[in-house]
Amino acid sequence: MTFSDSIFINAMTITLLPLGILRAPFAWIWSSLHRLKLESALRLVEPVVRRRILDRQQESSVQPQVDAIEWTIELSNSVAKENTPRQIALQLLHNLWAGSAAPGGLVTQMIFIVLHEPKYLQPLLEEAETAIAKHGWSDKALNNMPLLDSYIRETNRVYPTGSVTCARTVMVKPFQFHDGLSIPVGSRVAIPGMAIQQDPDNFQNPLQFDGFRFARLSALDEEKSSRGMAHDDDHSWGAATISTTNLAFGYGKHACPGRFYAVRKAKLIFSKFLMEYDIKWANPVSTMPPRLSINAQFAPNQGQRICIRKKTL
């Protein structure tokens, strides 16, 4: 966590300050402590990577593990400069941060919501128990949780991780749009994701959290399909689906490639949490805990406490 926090603090400091041409030298000096934390993290990860590479080279009889370490090693084989223990370890740390920060915040916000609006607890719990009983802890089970999928998408709609998305900076030369509009070098542009997702032209009661909103829309599409009527794509309401009104993971060819993993991870953690633990606010709460806001980015309330107890059989 120290390493992950260090990434966030360094990035926000370097990007927020109006440093101009001094940004690069300042970033190098400012990041000195972060680099020490990075080396400390590498000392933990790199030896594991070395052992895995050695096992592969010796054609060990041990069955290869199905995990991110093996996947990263396999992908690095095609690029010589990436095929070193250090570079593989760096890639793993990068993906560990990318795959933990946003999904962790999402699950935390989902827990806050279900505590604030307990009407969602029982339907989500029953759906998870039914899916797991039928398919076990598997991808098929996660695909059979439409209410939870809807709940995740609605969480991202009402409580996104940022008010803007697809942020870009014009580099090297001015950028010209198809209509002739030219943006000068140094300009920063972004899509107002939260405003779009909460626009009354796009959703009814857009400021109200409706956890099963997208499950109903998906069911309506299925009904239209059964009647031979025109409708949107069957998966257009999925939590990991990118659309002009679902911008939680960006848009276009640069949309987050890890969104499918993030949604499955959130489903897995949240459903297991509901099935195995009792939860409640540590102290009485009447409104949703206010989120932390930094430079158009949001994180769940850092001071809100909850009580967690393992369920007894």
Side-chain angles (χ1 to χ4, degrees), residues 115-127:
L115 286 174
H116 181 60
E117 301 193 50
K119 64 182 180 182
Y120 293 111
L121 179 59
Q122 199 58 34
L124 291 172
L125 175 59
E126 290 177 358
E127 179 183 69

Side-chain angles (χ1 to χ4, degrees), residues 220-231:
L220 182 60
D221 276 355
E222 290 181 9
E223 182 180 348
K224 288 180 178 179
S225 178
S226 65
R227 296 180 180 181
M229 301 168 62
H231 62 89

Side-chain angles (χ1 to χ4, degrees), residues 11-266:
M12 294 306 297
T13 303
I14 293 168
T15 56
L16 278 175
L17 295 177
L19 299 170
I21 60 173
L22 298 177
R23 188 178 307 280
F26 172 82
W28 177 255
I29 297 170
W30 178 257
S31 300
S32 298
L33 181 58
H34 170 68
R35 290 196 296 276
L36 291 176
K37 293 177 180 178
L38 172 61
E39 291 300 325
S40 179
L42 284 171
R43 285 195 292 272
L44 295 174
V45 178
E46 195 171 342
V48 178
V49 173
R50 290 184 182 278
R51 284 198 298 271
R52 291 290 188 90
I53 292 175
L54 186 61
D55 287 342
R56 293 167 68 94
Q57 291 173 342
Q58 294 178 343
E59 297 182 355
S60 172
S61 59
V62 178
Q63 185 72 20
Q65 298 186 48
V66 182
D67 58 23
I69 299 175
E70 291 296 324
W71 301 332
T72 307
I73 292 173
E74 287 182 14
L75 290 171
S76 70
N77 288 332
S78 59
V79 183
K81 66 178 183 179
E82 297 290 337
N83 192 21
T84 67
R86 182 179 178 84
Q87 282 302 116
I88 293 170
L90 285 169
Q91 289 283 358
L92 285 166
L93 288 174
H94 175 86
N95 288 329
L96 178 65
W97 178 81
S100 300
L106 171 61
V107 172
T108 301
Q109 198 66 47
M110 290 165 64
I111 292 172
F112 285 172
I113 294 169
V114 84
L115 286 174
H116 181 60
E117 301 193 50
K119 64 182 180 182
Y120 293 111
L121 179 59
Q122 199 58 34
L124 291 172
L125 175 59
E126 290 177 358
E127 179 183 69
E129 289 177 335
T130 300
I132 300 304
K134 186 174 182 179
H135 304 291
W137 290 101
S138 65
D139 195 54
K140 192 169 185 179
L142 300 180
N143 287 334
N144 279 272
M145 297 182 185
L147 295 182
L148 181 53
D149 193 85
S150 175
Y151 186 84
I152 291 173
R153 177 161 173 172
E154 182 72 349
T155 300
N156 276 331
R157 187 189 71 80
V158 180
Y159 302 100
T161 55
S163 59
V164 297
T165 187
C166 302
R168 298 290 184 270
T169 301
V170 181
M171 308 289 287
V172 185
K173 63 179 182 179
F175 181 86
Q176 188 171 30
F177 288 94
H178 295 298
D179 63 358
L181 175 65
S182 180
I183 302 179
V185 172
S187 299
R188 301 185 70 186
V189 297
I191 296 173
M194 187 166 74
I196 292 172
Q197 293 182 165
Q198 297 178 12
D199 190 327
D201 288 340
N202 295 326
F203 299 103
Q204 292 182 348
N205 302 318
L207 300 182
Q208 177 184 333
F209 183 88
D210 181 354
F212 302 151
R213 179 193 302 269
F214 298 105
R216 292 196 304 273
L217 290 171
S218 181
L220 182 60
D221 276 355
E222 290 181 9
E223 182 180 348
K224 288 180 178 179
S225 178
S226 65
R227 296 180 180 181
M229 301 168 62
H231 62 89
D232 293 327
D233 182 80
D234 289 339
H235 301 289
S236 62
W237 305 117
T241 301
I242 298 301
S243 73
T244 54
T245 57
N246 185 31
L247 301 166
F249 296 104
Y251 190 71
K253 63 182 180 181
H254 293 297
C256 175
R259 62 188 185 275
F260 306 101
Y261 165 77
V263 169
R264 280 168 168 75
K265 184 176 183 179

